[in-house]
Amino acid sequence: MNFFTLFDLPETLDVDKAKLSATYQILQQLTHPDKFSTGSDQEKRIALQKNSQVNDGYSVLKNPLARAQHLLSLRGVDVKDEQHTMQDTAFLMQQMEWREALEDAQNDEDALWQFHTDVTQTIKSEYSHLSELFNEEADVTILANALRKLTFMYKFQEQVQQHLDKFED
Amino acid sequence: MALLQIAEPGQAAAPHQRKLAVGIDLGTTNSLVATVRSGVSETLADSDGEHLLPSVVHYAQDTTVVGLAAEQVAAQKPKDTIVSVKRFLGRSLADIQATWPNLPYAFVADEDQPNNIQLAVAGKIKTPVEVSSEILQVLKQRAEETLGDELTGAVITVPAYFDDAQRQSTKDAAQLAGLNVLRLLNEPTAAAIAYGLDSGQEGLIAVYDLGGGTFDISILRLHKGVFEVLATGGNSALGGDDFDHAIVDLWSQRWGLTDAANKTYYRELVTLAKATKQTLSAVANVHQECVLGDITYDASLSITEFNAAVQPLVQKTIKACRRSLKDAEVSADEILAVVMVGGSTRVPLVREQVSEFFGRPALTAIDPDKVVAIGAATQADILAGNKPDADMLLLDVLPLSLGLETMGGLVEKVIGRNTTIPVAKAQEFTTFKDGQTAMMVHVLQGERELVEDCRSLAKFTLTGIPPMAAGAAHIRVTFQVDADGLLSVTAMEKSSGVQAEIQVKPSFGLAEEQISSMLKASMTNAKDDMQQRMLKEQQVEAARVLEALNSALQDSGDKLLSPAELTALRDTMQTLEKAAQGTDTQAIKDAIKLVDNASQDFATRRMDFSIQQALAGKTVDTI
């Protein structure tokens, strides 16, 4: 299932969010099972299937990481649930540094916020880099490695967020 | 008697076109039925003019009594009178005994399905689903007598926090009562619809529901027609009944009643307290006396004294509101509207304190006992097709995450809570032993990580996996959640091309055949009726299929089908037309299936085509 086609969007990493949201509204009106509550069983069944795809597609396309994974899977590489060991030594070193830094900062709210800002910034620049790679039709192995790095960063950002949540209570 | 309705030409659908649909609030203490008449959503009364049906069912040797009459015998025959059966829907015996250790009922364990409880009443065995369906049948009958015709369908409300087992049981009860369920709707969402909050507004809504014995608070977010339940909280053992007990305690203290006297006269005292509480919603002082035995007491009460007595109880609900706001990660001043539900929200102190907490007057214009049923009826009217131009669409979210048991008793989430439904998600698993030919699939619902902390919904074994090396088989487990939040699970082995597939229903629910056999059993005296009814149902379905297909073919048959496909489809339709004129129910069923298979591709292409058209139109518009 190509969600970009379903939502009538070009196959690019950056999407027009306003158009995505507007299209979602239209697709809901056309496919929600409630619109077929007086229809035949067949109509209800097809609506249920189609509407499930619409909901799934919307949740994938509005989430930057899930969208990148979907776009790459359309190029034939599925990195979502893979068990893959990175060969990039420089990146592995950076991961270790980040993990150690998080360990040190975990009880310092200001330091955690600073960390969060830094990680968010890095994700942003890596994401636009990946976007360019997609636009340049780069080789899928290059795309896959860039996306694996991003996946790690998103996971790491989540961990920082979890440490920050502790200060909320 | 049904009254004739007079409408201006063009304003209302012709009577024969208008579909009769109802909204049903299947409540813990009381249940109601409502419908839209002449554009107004209103609850329906019984022949005595009562709108509220107490959710009480009494079983005697030969008869079953529901409502007020059952409530009146509850004290004498506690074992055979099921009060507040909603508490038992979709729950296991262990759950129930832990929450309510002192129930007077004789629970029977079902050996085959330990999660399916039963009750022994008056020499019969009944499940909570059957008891609930008795209540629904009375409401269905009331609606059909009032409206003068059979119902097309019903929207049934459920608490927002109900899990899959509880929702499935509610739907089973409705089907058992012979109702066509258009949709299960969350109670707070229904209340918000009754106030028209779905139209044009965006923002956060708090629904404060204080009933006789339960308190619920829900925080909803309304965004582009999507009602999302952000948080629910409350107390399943706090309600208006506690207010009555507080008054009784006050009197006993004042009069110096002994514990023994208190116990002897408790029922009378509670009845008087309830009446006093209700009077104090309108006046500041009640002057009255109370005769117990041969002593007359002064049972006067002022609103000030009453408020002081119930203040700690109201504070408890406000605390729960505060907690729910925190869970939803929002603050009180972000709340756009506060909707009041439940009879106990008539107490002035409750209204004051809730309004004060949220910083805005709570909405109380609609009768708080009826507001949920009224909202459900509004939605039922739309779903029945009486308002073809309505663009209101309620998108619901999954209340609790769904997952599968993995190694070590852990739960792997497959669909997260708050995901917009309907939704389908697949997850792949593999075998962990060489030559493994079977795999256990255990479906769970809940937010916790351990299997034992989540609710077990279904367990089944996928067999016939071709023997392979460990890790070579690919087992794909698919979860499909429909618009009511109900789940079906499919598992399939796909690597070798050999497919094994199984469809399960949650173990709490009833299988389709169980429901129809129970329906049959309840109609043993009217066997012909049953057959007549099944025949009629199939004929109606046949007409519906043919009508839908004919108009579809007229619209786009030439565009989307080749001449050969068109001829093949028309042939099956003719077969169905012929079968529908006969009286062979099975033949009609088979013919429907035939048409269904032949038109599947056409229907899918039509849906895709309509999407393409709509999106193309939009692109032109936006350029």
Side-chain angles (χ1 to χ4, degrees):
Chain A
M1 181 85 223
N2 184 330
F3 292 140
F4 291 94
T5 311
L6 178 63
F7 280 78
D8 191 29
L9 290 163
E11 276 185 41
T12 55
L13 192 54
D14 295 308
V15 294
D16 177 346
K17 292 206 182 75
K19 191 184 171 195
L20 172 65
S21 171
T23 309
Y24 179 60
Q25 301 303 319
I26 294 171
L27 292 177
Q28 279 293 355
Q29 291 290 346
L30 290 170
T31 62
H32 195 282
D34 280 0
K35 294 285 171 192
F36 300 87
S37 54
T38 55
S40 65
D41 288 348
Q42 184 186 57
E43 284 175 306
K44 286 179 194 165
R45 204 168 56 233
I46 289 169
L48 178 66
Q49 283 164 4
K50 202 73 191 174
N51 191 246
S52 297
Q53 286 173 357
V54 168
N55 281 327
D56 196 20
Y58 184 60
S59 72
V60 165
L61 292 180
K62 75 178 176 183
N63 177 302
L65 182 61
R67 185 170 66 235
Q69 289 167 342
H70 179 59
L71 190 58
L72 187 63
S73 77
L74 293 175
R75 304 270 203 280
V77 183
D78 196 353
V79 296
K80 198 172 156 240
D81 297 309
E82 64 174 6
Q83 301 286 331
H84 187 271
T85 318
M86 294 278 281
Q87 304 293 331
D88 186 336
T89 333
F91 185 66
L92 289 174
M93 287 301 286
Q94 198 194 347
Q95 277 188 34
M96 272 164 63
E97 271 169 40
W98 275 7
R99 286 216 170 96
E100 278 165 24
L102 179 60
E103 192 87 354
D104 294 340
Q106 59 174 323
N107 293 315
D108 181 344
E109 195 178 354
D110 291 337
L112 279 172
W113 272 117
Q114 186 54 49
F115 212 7
H116 193 269
T117 314
D118 291 348
V119 176
T120 309
Q121 196 54 47
T122 314
I123 287 176
K124 208 174 158 192
S125 68
E126 288 293 321
Y127 202 84
S128 56
H129 176 59
L130 181 64
S131 177
E132 278 166 32
L133 287 176
F134 268 113
N135 289 342
E136 290 163 8
E137 300 283 338
D139 189 80
V140 284
T141 51
I142 296 173
L143 290 170
N145 274 327
L147 183 51
R148 284 179 190 122
K149 283 184 195 175
L150 252 176
T151 309
F152 167 78
M153 289 175 199
Y154 274 107
K155 260 189 208 151
F156 191 76
Q157 186 188 38
E158 219 171 89
Q159 283 169 13
V160 178
Q161 186 61 53
Q162 277 167 11
H163 282 292
L164 275 169
D165 285 346
K166 285 189 302 198
F167 290 96
E168 293 274 302
D169 302 326
Chain B
M1 188 191 85
L3 292 174
L4 279 179
Q5 292 181 359
I6 300 169
E8 277 183 48
Q11 275 214 328
H16 67 277
Q17 285 177 345
R18 193 167 174 81
K19 304 255 173 59
L20 295 179
V22 294
I24 293 179
D25 173 4
L26 182 63
T28 308
T29 317
N30 292 299
S31 297
L32 291 108
V33 59
T35 194
V36 174
R37 284 196 285 188
S38 311
V40 180
S41 181
E42 56 191 6
T43 54
L44 304 176
D46 66 8
S47 53
D48 295 327
E50 294 292 337
H51 291 253
L52 267 62
L53 176 73
S55 301
V56 183
V57 181
H58 173 69
Y59 289 95
Q61 212 61 43
D62 307 312
T63 55
T64 305
V65 190
V66 179
L68 202 59
E71 198 173 34
Q72 281 161 352
V73 296
Q76 292 107 48
K77 305 214 162 133
K79 205 169 148 267
D80 297 334
T81 311
I82 314 299
V83 179
S84 305
V85 68
K86 187 175 176 177
R87 299 174 291 173
F88 311 148
L89 277 179
R91 309 269 77 169
S92 71
L93 191 52
D95 279 346
I96 292 169
Q97 284 171 337
T99 321
W100 300 280
N102 298 317
L103 290 169
Y105 309 122
F107 290 104
V108 185
D110 182 339
E111 304 262 316
D112 301 329
Q113 285 179 300
N115 281 335
N116 235 345
I117 67 149
Q118 297 174 319
L119 296 136
V121 280
K124 286 169 271 198
I125 299 288
K126 296 283 172 189
T127 64
V129 167
E130 289 174 281
V131 179
S132 305
S133 97
E134 303 278 7
I135 299 168
L136 290 167
Q137 273 174 44
V138 171
L139 294 174
K140 174 177 182 255
Q141 202 179 352
R142 180 193 292 182
E144 289 183 340
E145 275 164 17
T146 313
L147 303 172
D149 204 349
E150 271 182 42
L151 299 181
T152 311
V155 168
I156 319 275
T157 59
V158 289
Y161 55 78
F162 255 25
D163 65 23
D164 187 78
Q166 293 168 303
R167 283 169 199 264
Q168 186 67 58
S169 298
T170 306
K171 195 169 184 179
D172 287 348
Q175 281 170 338
L176 190 57
L179 287 163
N180 169 32
V181 181
L182 296 168
R183 181 83 124 87
L184 296 179
L185 184 64
N186 285 330
E187 286 163 11
T189 309
I193 293 172
Y195 277 100
L197 293 175
D198 50 283
S199 55
Q201 295 203 54
E202 299 259 301
L204 298 171
I205 299 163
V207 182
Y208 179 101
D209 181 350
L210 187 61
T214 57
F215 168 65
D216 296 310
I217 173 75
S218 311
I219 311 294
L220 312 179
R221 175 186 281 141
L222 179 57
H223 177 66
K224 293 181 177 156
V226 182
F227 272 99
E228 183 183 0
V229 181
L230 294 182
T232 63
N235 189 331
S236 58
L238 173 66
D241 298 345
D242 297 298
F243 289 23
D244 305 337
H245 298 153
I247 297 178
V248 174
D249 289 348
L250 186 82
W251 284 336
S252 310
Q253 258 179 18
R254 191 183 288 171
W255 305 336
L257 284 192
T258 60
D259 283 354
N262 193 329
K263 208 170 174 185
T264 315
Y265 299 115
Y266 205 74
R267 283 205 154 257
E268 290 169 65
L269 286 168
V270 167
T271 308
L272 185 65
K274 193 178 280 280
T276 308
K277 171 185 76 179
Q278 285 165 358
T279 315
L280 283 175
S281 290
V283 303
N285 285 288
V286 176
H287 296 288
Q288 63 190 0
E289 288 176 338
C290 173
V291 184
L292 301 177
D294 46 10
I295 309 176
T296 304
Y297 296 100
D298 178 8
S300 297
L301 198 69
S302 74
I303 186 81
T304 321
E305 291 167 316
F306 172 70
N307 284 353
V310 301
Q311 169 67 23
L313 298 170
V314 180
Q315 262 317 304
K316 266 194 193 171
T317 69
I318 299 294
K319 257 193 197 160
C321 291
R322 192 172 290 132
R323 218 169 16 243
S324 288
L325 286 177
K326 198 171 170 295
D327 287 348
E329 297 177 5
V330 297
S331 61
D333 56 7
E334 291 176 68
I335 301 291
L336 183 84
V338 185
V339 175
M340 296 296 251
V341 183
S344 305
T345 59
R346 289 198 184 84
V347 171
L349 185 73
V350 171
R351 294 186 174 187
E352 275 164 34
Q353 303 233 324
V354 172
S355 300
E356 194 187 317
F357 175 74
F358 288 105
R360 62 186 58 250
L363 298 174
T364 55
I366 302 175
D367 184 335
D369 281 321
K370 299 178 180 169
V371 63
V372 167
I374 286 172
T378 304
Q379 179 69 0
D381 193 46
I382 293 172
L383 292 183
N386 290 330
K387 283 187 176 173
D389 299 330
D391 58 0
M392 169 168 100
L393 195 55
L394 291 180
L395 303 189
D396 248 317
V397 296
L398 193 67
L400 297 159
S401 301
L402 291 166
L404 288 168
E405 175 171 353
T406 58
M407 302 267 267
L410 294 175
V411 180
E412 169 147 351
K413 284 186 186 148
V414 180
I415 308 180
R417 72 184 285 258
N418 280 340
T419 303
T420 307
I421 51 175
V423 68
K425 282 265 164 76
Q427 194 97 323
E428 284 193 12
F429 293 86
T430 188
T431 46
F432 73 103
K433 267 192 197 145
D434 285 341
Q436 186 177 343
T437 57
M439 186 182 241
M440 166 80 99
V441 178
H442 188 191
V443 186
L444 298 123
Q445 188 163 31
E447 304 314 307
R448 309 278 294 276
E449 281 178 10
L450 293 176
V451 166
E452 59 194 39
D453 295 328
C454 289
R455 168 158 295 272
S456 166
L457 291 179
K459 232 183 211 178
F460 66 93
T461 310
L462 177 70
T463 53
I465 302 171
M468 280 180 256
H474 288 273
I475 290 120
R476 195 177 169 82
V477 181
T478 309
F479 282 48
Q480 170 77 63
V481 181
D482 69 12
D484 291 327
L486 297 178
L487 166 75
S488 58
V489 184
T490 323
M492 143 177 115
E493 201 291 312
K494 56 171 212 172
S495 70
S496 61
V498 177
Q499 293 197 346
E501 203 168 323
I502 188 164
Q503 191 90 29
V504 289
K505 260 188 117 179
S507 51
F508 282 96
L510 299 171
E512 208 71 47
E513 305 83 68
Q514 256 176 302
I515 292 182
S516 66
S517 80
M518 281 162 102
L519 258 180
K520 262 185 212 160
S522 69
M523 292 187 173
T524 39
N525 297 333
K527 218 172 186 177
D528 288 346
D529 275 9
M530 185 69 200
Q531 277 163 359
Q532 269 317 108
R533 187 173 138 167
M534 278 163 61
L535 174 64
K536 204 180 138 203
E537 269 174 18
Q538 288 305 320
Q539 284 171 332
V540 168
E541 178 62 17
R544 181 157 47 199
V545 167
L546 287 171
E547 193 191 321
L549 208 46
N550 269 321
S551 85
L553 283 172
Q554 205 166 12
D555 184 51
S556 53
D558 298 340
K559 266 186 295 219
L560 302 175
L561 290 175
S562 69
E565 286 172 321
L566 200 59
T567 314
L569 181 54
R570 290 239 186 254
D571 282 350
T572 64
M573 288 169 73
Q574 261 170 18
T575 311
L576 177 58
E577 241 166 276
K578 235 180 255 164
Q581 282 160 9
T583 55
D584 183 345
T585 309
Q586 191 56 45
I588 304 177
K589 243 185 186 169
D590 294 343
I592 290 176
K593 185 95 195 142
L594 204 67
V595 173
D596 190 271
N597 287 337
S599 60
Q600 173 86 21
D601 285 348
F602 175 52
T604 308
R605 275 180 229 169
R606 251 177 79 75
M607 171 80 79
D608 290 340
F609 185 67
S610 80
I611 290 172
Q612 273 173 24
Q613 291 288 96
L615 294 186
K618 193 200 72 177
T619 322
V620 173
D621 285 346
T622 43
I623 286 169

